[in-house]
Amino acid sequence: VLKGSVATNDMLDLDITGNNINISKIRNYFPEKYYALAADYNPSGILNVRCKIKGILNSLANPHIEIDWQLDKGNITSRKSKLAVKDLAFTGQFSNGSKNRNETSSVLINDFNAKFGSSEYRGLLKISRLDKPHTELILKGRILPSEIKEFFDLNKISTAEGSVDVDLNLVTDFWPKDKI
C-alpha cells in the first residue's frame, strides 16, 4: 500500500506498507552475481514492512527515511542437506538519521531468534555510521561445525566435530571497505 504525495517542489511525503509478504521468491531479486550463491537454498517466511519517506529529494538533499520490518515463521532449507534454519524471526529498523546521510544512518536487527539443526540462536546486530561503520553484534547459541559443514556443503573441510557454546558480544569499527 502506497499513501502520500510527491509535490512539484520535490517534496516527498510517502508511507509505504507491505503486509504478509511471502519471501519464498526473494532470491529472484538478487543481483546476478549473488544469485548463484543462494541457488541451493529455499527461504520462506512472512515479512511485514513499513517505510516512511518525508522531505525534499534533489541533487542537494535527501528526504528522511525510516523503515521498520518484521520477519516471522522464517525457514531456510537446502537442496543438499536435511538440515534447515527454522523458526527464524526478527525485527529491524533502518534510518538515515538526523542529517539524512550515511554518517547518521543506522541499521538494527533485533530480537533475532532461529533454530539451526540441533541448536537455537538469539541475538542482535546494530550498524551505525554507514560511511565508517560501527558494528555491534550479540549472538548466543551452540555452534556444531558438522552441521554447518553439511548445510553449506563445505566439502573441502574433511572433518568437523565437537561444539562451541557462544555468548558473543562484539563491538568493532573494522569493516572490509572493499567488500561493501
Side-chain angles (χ1 to χ4, degrees), residues 2-24:
L2 172 62
K3 296 179 184 178
S5 63
V6 178
T8 57
N9 64 353
D10 298 325
M11 178 64 84
L12 304 176
D13 188 0
L14 301 173
D15 193 348
I16 305 164
T17 305
N19 291 317
N20 299 316
I21 300 167
N22 183 338
I23 66 164
S24 62

PDB file of all heavy atoms in Angstrom, residues 2-24:
ATOM      1  N   LEU A   2       0.633   2.139  -0.908  1.00  0.00           N
ATOM      2  CA  LEU A   2       1.379   3.387  -1.016  1.00  0.00           C
ATOM      3  C   LEU A   2       0.426   4.539  -0.784  1.00  0.00           C
ATOM      4  O   LEU A   2      -0.593   4.656  -1.464  1.00  0.00           O
ATOM      5  CB  LEU A   2       2.025   3.502  -2.400  1.00  0.00           C
ATOM      6  CG  LEU A   2       2.691   4.828  -2.755  1.00  0.00           C
ATOM      7  CD1 LEU A   2       3.847   5.125  -1.818  1.00  0.00           C
ATOM      8  CD2 LEU A   2       3.175   4.798  -4.203  1.00  0.00           C
ATOM      9  N   LYS A   3       0.756   5.364   0.207  1.00  0.00           N
ATOM     10  CA  LYS A   3      -0.045   6.555   0.505  1.00  0.00           C
ATOM     11  C   LYS A   3       0.887   7.747   0.552  1.00  0.00           C
ATOM     12  O   LYS A   3       2.053   7.604   0.907  1.00  0.00           O
ATOM     13  CB  LYS A   3      -0.743   6.430   1.868  1.00  0.00           C
ATOM     14  CG  LYS A   3      -1.755   5.334   1.967  1.00  0.00           C
ATOM     15  CD  LYS A   3      -2.343   5.305   3.370  1.00  0.00           C
ATOM     16  CE  LYS A   3      -3.302   4.143   3.522  1.00  0.00           C
ATOM     17  NZ  LYS A   3      -3.833   4.075   4.887  1.00  0.00           N
ATOM     18  N   GLY A   4       0.369   8.904   0.213  1.00  0.00           N
ATOM     19  CA  GLY A   4       1.176  10.096   0.344  1.00  0.00           C
ATOM     20  C   GLY A   4       1.153  10.952  -0.894  1.00  0.00           C
ATOM     21  O   GLY A   4       0.261  10.840  -1.739  1.00  0.00           O
ATOM     22  N   SER A   5       2.191  11.787  -0.992  1.00  0.00           N
ATOM     23  CA  SER A   5       2.237  12.723  -2.106  1.00  0.00           C
ATOM     24  C   SER A   5       3.671  13.026  -2.514  1.00  0.00           C
ATOM     25  O   SER A   5       4.607  12.886  -1.729  1.00  0.00           O
ATOM     26  CB  SER A   5       1.547  14.033  -1.704  1.00  0.00           C
ATOM     27  OG  SER A   5       2.245  14.637  -0.626  1.00  0.00           O
ATOM     28  N   VAL A   6       3.809  13.431  -3.780  1.00  0.00           N
ATOM     29  CA  VAL A   6       5.056  13.942  -4.318  1.00  0.00           C
ATOM     30  C   VAL A   6       4.701  15.285  -4.936  1.00  0.00           C
ATOM     31  O   VAL A   6       3.958  15.350  -5.910  1.00  0.00           O
ATOM     32  CB  VAL A   6       5.659  13.005  -5.391  1.00  0.00           C
ATOM     33  CG1 VAL A   6       6.935  13.607  -5.957  1.00  0.00           C
ATOM     34  CG2 VAL A   6       5.904  11.612  -4.815  1.00  0.00           C
ATOM     35  N   ALA A   7       5.201  16.374  -4.339  1.00  0.00           N
ATOM     36  CA  ALA A   7       4.846  17.722  -4.776  1.00  0.00           C
ATOM     37  C   ALA A   7       5.796  18.194  -5.883  1.00  0.00           C
ATOM     38  O   ALA A   7       6.889  17.649  -6.065  1.00  0.00           O
ATOM     39  CB  ALA A   7       4.894  18.695  -3.596  1.00  0.00           C
ATOM     40  N   THR A   8       5.394  19.205  -6.598  1.00  0.00           N
ATOM     41  CA  THR A   8       6.197  19.744  -7.700  1.00  0.00           C
ATOM     42  C   THR A   8       7.513  20.353  -7.227  1.00  0.00           C
ATOM     43  O   THR A   8       8.435  20.489  -8.009  1.00  0.00           O
ATOM     44  CB  THR A   8       5.405  20.801  -8.491  1.00  0.00           C
ATOM     45  OG1 THR A   8       4.983  21.820  -7.591  1.00  0.00           O
ATOM     46  CG2 THR A   8       4.223  20.172  -9.196  1.00  0.00           C
ATOM     47  N   ASN A   9       7.620  20.701  -5.967  1.00  0.00           N
ATOM     48  CA  ASN A   9       8.868  21.255  -5.429  1.00  0.00           C
ATOM     49  C   ASN A   9       9.803  20.151  -4.907  1.00  0.00           C
ATOM     50  O   ASN A   9      10.679  20.411  -4.094  1.00  0.00           O
ATOM     51  CB  ASN A   9       8.569  22.277  -4.334  1.00  0.00           C
ATOM     52  CG  ASN A   9       7.880  21.647  -3.131  1.00  0.00           C
ATOM     53  OD1 ASN A   9       7.507  20.480  -3.152  1.00  0.00           O
ATOM     54  ND2 ASN A   9       7.705  22.431  -2.081  1.00  0.00           N
ATOM     55  N   ASP A  10       9.620  18.906  -5.363  1.00  0.00           N
ATOM     56  CA  ASP A  10      10.426  17.743  -4.981  1.00  0.00           C
ATOM     57  C   ASP A  10      10.228  17.323  -3.529  1.00  0.00           C
ATOM     58  O   ASP A  10      11.049  16.592  -2.969  1.00  0.00           O
ATOM     59  CB  ASP A  10      11.925  17.972  -5.236  1.00  0.00           C
ATOM     60  CG  ASP A  10      12.249  18.205  -6.689  1.00  0.00           C
ATOM     61  OD1 ASP A  10      11.582  17.596  -7.551  1.00  0.00           O
ATOM     62  OD2 ASP A  10      13.172  18.984  -6.967  1.00  0.00           O
ATOM     63  N   MET A  11       9.157  17.752  -2.910  1.00  0.00           N
ATOM     64  CA  MET A  11       8.850  17.372  -1.528  1.00  0.00           C
ATOM     65  C   MET A  11       8.089  16.046  -1.531  1.00  0.00           C
ATOM     66  O   MET A  11       7.052  15.919  -2.179  1.00  0.00           O
ATOM     67  CB  MET A  11       8.008  18.446  -0.835  1.00  0.00           C
ATOM     68  CG  MET A  11       7.611  18.096   0.585  1.00  0.00           C
ATOM     69  SD  MET A  11       9.000  17.942   1.713  1.00  0.00           S
ATOM     70  CE  MET A  11       9.227  19.636   2.168  1.00  0.00           C
ATOM     71  N   LEU A  12       8.644  15.070  -0.820  1.00  0.00           N
ATOM     72  CA  LEU A  12       8.024  13.751  -0.700  1.00  0.00           C
ATOM     73  C   LEU A  12       7.385  13.608   0.667  1.00  0.00           C
ATOM     74  O   LEU A  12       7.931  14.052   1.674  1.00  0.00           O
ATOM     75  CB  LEU A  12       9.063  12.648  -0.857  1.00  0.00           C
ATOM     76  CG  LEU A  12       9.902  12.626  -2.124  1.00  0.00           C
ATOM     77  CD1 LEU A  12      10.945  11.516  -2.043  1.00  0.00           C
ATOM     78  CD2 LEU A  12       9.035  12.439  -3.338  1.00  0.00           C
ATOM     79  N   ASP A  13       6.251  12.952   0.701  1.00  0.00           N
ATOM     80  CA  ASP A  13       5.594  12.575   1.943  1.00  0.00           C
ATOM     81  C   ASP A  13       4.898  11.247   1.658  1.00  0.00           C
ATOM     82  O   ASP A  13       3.740  11.216   1.250  1.00  0.00           O
ATOM     83  CB  ASP A  13       4.598  13.636   2.399  1.00  0.00           C
ATOM     84  CG  ASP A  13       4.058  13.346   3.785  1.00  0.00           C
ATOM     85  OD1 ASP A  13       4.448  12.324   4.393  1.00  0.00           O
ATOM     86  OD2 ASP A  13       3.227  14.149   4.269  1.00  0.00           O
ATOM     87  N   LEU A  14       5.638  10.150   1.838  1.00  0.00           N
ATOM     88  CA  LEU A  14       5.152   8.830   1.447  1.00  0.00           C
ATOM     89  C   LEU A  14       5.135   7.881   2.631  1.00  0.00           C
ATOM     90  O   LEU A  14       6.013   7.914   3.497  1.00  0.00           O
ATOM     91  CB  LEU A  14       6.055   8.240   0.356  1.00  0.00           C
ATOM     92  CG  LEU A  14       6.186   9.046  -0.932  1.00  0.00           C
ATOM     93  CD1 LEU A  14       7.242   8.421  -1.832  1.00  0.00           C
ATOM     94  CD2 LEU A  14       4.847   9.119  -1.641  1.00  0.00           C
ATOM     95  N   ASP A  15       4.150   7.030   2.643  1.00  0.00           N
ATOM     96  CA  ASP A  15       4.025   5.963   3.631  1.00  0.00           C
ATOM     97  C   ASP A  15       3.762   4.680   2.841  1.00  0.00           C
ATOM     98  O   ASP A  15       2.723   4.544   2.188  1.00  0.00           O
ATOM     99  CB  ASP A  15       2.876   6.255   4.593  1.00  0.00           C
ATOM    100  CG  ASP A  15       2.882   5.366   5.817  1.00  0.00           C
ATOM    101  OD1 ASP A  15       3.631   4.374   5.849  1.00  0.00           O
ATOM    102  OD2 ASP A  15       2.120   5.653   6.758  1.00  0.00           O
ATOM    103  N   ILE A  16       4.720   3.770   2.871  1.00  0.00           N
ATOM    104  CA  ILE A  16       4.639   2.534   2.096  1.00  0.00           C
ATOM    105  C   ILE A  16       4.553   1.369   3.074  1.00  0.00           C
ATOM    106  O   ILE A  16       5.385   1.241   3.981  1.00  0.00           O
ATOM    107  CB  ILE A  16       5.876   2.369   1.191  1.00  0.00           C
ATOM    108  CG1 ILE A  16       6.032   3.607   0.311  1.00  0.00           C
ATOM    109  CG2 ILE A  16       5.780   1.100   0.370  1.00  0.00           C
ATOM    110  CD1 ILE A  16       7.401   3.734  -0.337  1.00  0.00           C
ATOM    111  N   THR A  17       3.563   0.503   2.890  1.00  0.00           N
ATOM    112  CA  THR A  17       3.347  -0.621   3.785  1.00  0.00           C
ATOM    113  C   THR A  17       3.202  -1.903   2.979  1.00  0.00           C
ATOM    114  O   THR A  17       2.505  -1.926   1.966  1.00  0.00           O
ATOM    115  CB  THR A  17       2.068  -0.407   4.628  1.00  0.00           C
ATOM    116  OG1 THR A  17       2.167   0.839   5.310  1.00  0.00           O
ATOM    117  CG2 THR A  17       1.878  -1.515   5.639  1.00  0.00           C
ATOM    118  N   GLY A  18       3.853  -2.932   3.434  1.00  0.00           N
ATOM    119  CA  GLY A  18       3.683  -4.266   2.860  1.00  0.00           C
ATOM    120  C   GLY A  18       3.413  -5.243   3.985  1.00  0.00           C
ATOM    121  O   GLY A  18       4.222  -5.369   4.897  1.00  0.00           O
ATOM    122  N   ASN A  19       2.269  -5.909   3.933  1.00  0.00           N
ATOM    123  CA  ASN A  19       1.888  -6.843   4.990  1.00  0.00           C
ATOM    124  C   ASN A  19       1.791  -8.263   4.445  1.00  0.00           C
ATOM    125  O   ASN A  19       1.329  -8.475   3.321  1.00  0.00           O
ATOM    126  CB  ASN A  19       0.549  -6.451   5.612  1.00  0.00           C
ATOM    127  CG  ASN A  19       0.656  -5.183   6.415  1.00  0.00           C
ATOM    128  OD1 ASN A  19       1.610  -4.997   7.164  1.00  0.00           O
ATOM    129  ND2 ASN A  19      -0.305  -4.297   6.250  1.00  0.00           N
ATOM    130  N   ASN A  20       2.225  -9.203   5.261  1.00  0.00           N
ATOM    131  CA  ASN A  20       2.132 -10.627   4.938  1.00  0.00           C
ATOM    132  C   ASN A  20       2.779 -10.966   3.598  1.00  0.00           C
ATOM    133  O   ASN A  20       2.205 -11.673   2.772  1.00  0.00           O
ATOM    134  CB  ASN A  20       0.670 -11.087   4.973  1.00  0.00           C
ATOM    135  CG  ASN A  20       0.079 -10.905   6.345  1.00  0.00           C
ATOM    136  OD1 ASN A  20       0.705 -11.218   7.350  1.00  0.00           O
ATOM    137  ND2 ASN A  20      -1.134 -10.366   6.400  1.00  0.00           N
ATOM    138  N   ILE A  21       3.990 -10.471   3.398  1.00  0.00           N
ATOM    139  CA  ILE A  21       4.743 -10.732   2.172  1.00  0.00           C
ATOM    140  C   ILE A  21       5.449 -12.078   2.310  1.00  0.00           C
ATOM    141  O   ILE A  21       6.230 -12.287   3.234  1.00  0.00           O
ATOM    142  CB  ILE A  21       5.781  -9.617   1.922  1.00  0.00           C
ATOM    143  CG1 ILE A  21       5.090  -8.265   1.792  1.00  0.00           C
ATOM    144  CG2 ILE A  21       6.616  -9.934   0.688  1.00  0.00           C
ATOM    145  CD1 ILE A  21       6.039  -7.089   1.863  1.00  0.00           C
ATOM    146  N   ASN A  22       5.180 -12.984   1.393  1.00  0.00           N
ATOM    147  CA  ASN A  22       5.837 -14.282   1.384  1.00  0.00           C
ATOM    148  C   ASN A  22       7.215 -14.118   0.739  1.00  0.00           C
ATOM    149  O   ASN A  22       7.306 -13.728  -0.416  1.00  0.00           O
ATOM    150  CB  ASN A  22       4.995 -15.284   0.593  1.00  0.00           C
ATOM    151  CG  ASN A  22       5.575 -16.677   0.612  1.00  0.00           C
ATOM    152  OD1 ASN A  22       6.761 -16.875   0.837  1.00  0.00           O
ATOM    153  ND2 ASN A  22       4.729 -17.641   0.366  1.00  0.00           N
ATOM    154  N   ILE A  23       8.273 -14.428   1.475  1.00  0.00           N
ATOM    155  CA  ILE A  23       9.637 -14.187   0.972  1.00  0.00           C
ATOM    156  C   ILE A  23      10.206 -15.350   0.169  1.00  0.00           C
ATOM    157  O   ILE A  23      11.379 -15.330  -0.195  1.00  0.00           O
ATOM    158  CB  ILE A  23      10.603 -13.820   2.115  1.00  0.00           C
ATOM    159  CG1 ILE A  23      10.799 -14.996   3.066  1.00  0.00           C
ATOM    160  CG2 ILE A  23      10.147 -12.563   2.833  1.00  0.00           C
ATOM    161  CD1 ILE A  23      11.997 -14.847   3.960  1.00  0.00           C
ATOM    162  N   SER A  24       9.398 -16.329  -0.172  1.00  0.00           N
ATOM    163  CA  SER A  24       9.925 -17.522  -0.850  1.00  0.00           C
ATOM    164  C   SER A  24      10.567 -17.218  -2.199  1.00  0.00           C
ATOM    165  O   SER A  24      11.401 -17.984  -2.669  1.00  0.00           O
ATOM    166  CB  SER A  24       8.831 -18.575  -1.010  1.00  0.00           C
ATOM    167  OG  SER A  24       7.785 -18.084  -1.819  1.00  0.00           O
TER     168      SER A  24
END
